[in-house]
């Protein structure tokens, strides 16, 4: 299980160094990314929230950097396209792939599947789903697709360990991104780091 961020291509982006990625691929978030990969992730999360905030969040800055970061720094509800991807390491078969409209800010839906309602879905096209069945968790790649969609069942305790590991990867990425922001966005480092924590649902409880 890995936290992944959906990446869109960014032609001529020059506000800070980024890596080269094609559109609609995934970048695995953890504490081992290169500075360019961290820059790519920060650019993508900012781009996910790059729209005009409500009037009460203040006027948009006029400089290119301030304009690009404005939504990320001022919107109360942030979105980070992606989710937790689950792959069988032995076969390479993906059992959960984040679909359209799924975001990393909702990763705690996994806990709902384990200890709440017992069922969570993760976007559409594909419509991946996790469902608790007794002491097992059933993962379905596309619950509304063909009858031959890949399915795997895991013990609940193993699923909890996988979710905890993916959460640790997110926290390691956030620590890395905080250090990156101090180097590349010193005037906005604290705000960007706090916004990333909210976008990844890692912000401390008030």
């Amino acid at each position: 299980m890995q936290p992944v961020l959906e990446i869109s291509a960014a032609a001529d982006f020059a506000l800070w160094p980024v890596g080269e990625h094609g559109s609609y691929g995934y970048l695995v978030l953890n504490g081992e990314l290169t500075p360019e990969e961290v820059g790519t992730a920060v650019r993508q999360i900012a781009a996910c929230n790059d729209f005009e905030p409500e009037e009460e969040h203040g006027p948009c800055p006029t400089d290119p950097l301030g304009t690009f970061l404005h939504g990320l720094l001022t919107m109360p509800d942030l979105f980070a396209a992606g989710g937790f991807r689950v792959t069988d390491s032995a076969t390479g078969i993906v059992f959960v792939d984040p679909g359209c409209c799924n975001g990393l800010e909702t990763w705690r839906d996994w806990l709902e599947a384990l200890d709440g309602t017992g069922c969570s879905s993760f976007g559409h096209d594909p419509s991946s789903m996790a469902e608790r069945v007794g002491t097992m968790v059933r993962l379905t790649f596309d619950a509304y697709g063909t009858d031959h969609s890949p399915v795997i069942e895991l013990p609940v305790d193993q699923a909890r360990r996988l979710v905890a590991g993916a959460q640790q990867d997110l926290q390691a990425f956030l620590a890395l991104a905080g250090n990156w922001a101090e180097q590349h966005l010193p005037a906005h480092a604290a705000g960007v780091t706090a916004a990333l924590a909210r976008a990844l649902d890692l912000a401390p409880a008030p």
Side-chain angles (χ1 to χ4, degrees), residues 16-96:
W16 57 75
V18 296
E20 294 185 4
H21 292 272
S23 287
Y24 306 113
Y26 285 114
L27 176 64
V28 178
L29 300 185
N30 54 40
E32 301 178 359
L33 301 185
T34 66
E36 289 76 18
E37 289 172 329
V38 175
T40 296
V42 175
R43 180 203 63 80
Q44 183 63 42
I45 296 173
C48 284
N49 300 281
D50 184 20
F51 49 89
E52 188 63 33
E54 299 294 334
E55 183 177 349
E56 61 264 26
H57 300 296
C60 185
T62 57
D63 64 289
L65 178 60
T67 298
F68 184 66
L69 293 176
H70 188 53
L72 179 68
L73 295 177
T74 60
M75 295 297 294
D77 299 314
L78 299 175
F79 174 67
F84 284 4
R85 182 176 62 191
V86 182
T87 306
D88 185 327
S89 58
T91 64
I93 296 175
V94 175
F95 290 96
V96 173

Side-chain angles (χ1 to χ4, degrees), residues 95-121:
F95 290 96
V96 173
D97 209 14
C100 180
C101 302
N102 194 72
L104 279 162
E105 77 285 352
T106 63
W107 68 265
R108 293 182 191 274
D109 286 355
W110 279 95
L111 304 179
E112 186 70 16
L114 296 175
D115 299 307
T117 62
C119 184
S120 289
S121 58

Side-chain angles (χ1 to χ4, degrees), residues 83-165:
F84 284 4
R85 182 176 62 191
V86 182
T87 306
D88 185 327
S89 58
T91 64
I93 296 175
V94 175
F95 290 96
V96 173
D97 209 14
C100 180
C101 302
N102 194 72
L104 279 162
E105 77 285 352
T106 63
W107 68 265
R108 293 182 191 274
D109 286 355
W110 279 95
L111 304 179
E112 186 70 16
L114 296 175
D115 299 307
T117 62
C119 184
S120 289
S121 58
F122 308 103
H124 56 87
D125 298 327
S127 298
S128 291
M129 181 175 293
E131 181 182 11
R132 179 163 179 168
V133 183
T135 61
M136 306 294 286
V137 176
R138 178 181 297 139
L139 308 179
T140 304
F141 175 72
D142 193 353
Y144 302 109
T146 68
D147 293 336
H148 303 291
S149 176
V151 174
I152 190 173
E153 291 189 347
L154 301 172
V156 171
D157 288 345
Q158 182 180 357
R160 283 200 186 95
R161 289 194 295 272
L162 291 174
V163 172

Side-chain angles (χ1 to χ4, degrees), residues 1 3 84 159-171:
M1 180 179 286
F84 284 4
R160 283 200 186 95
R161 289 194 295 272
L162 291 174
V163 172
Q167 180 184 3
Q168 290 173 357
D169 285 339
L170 279 184
Q171 291 171 326

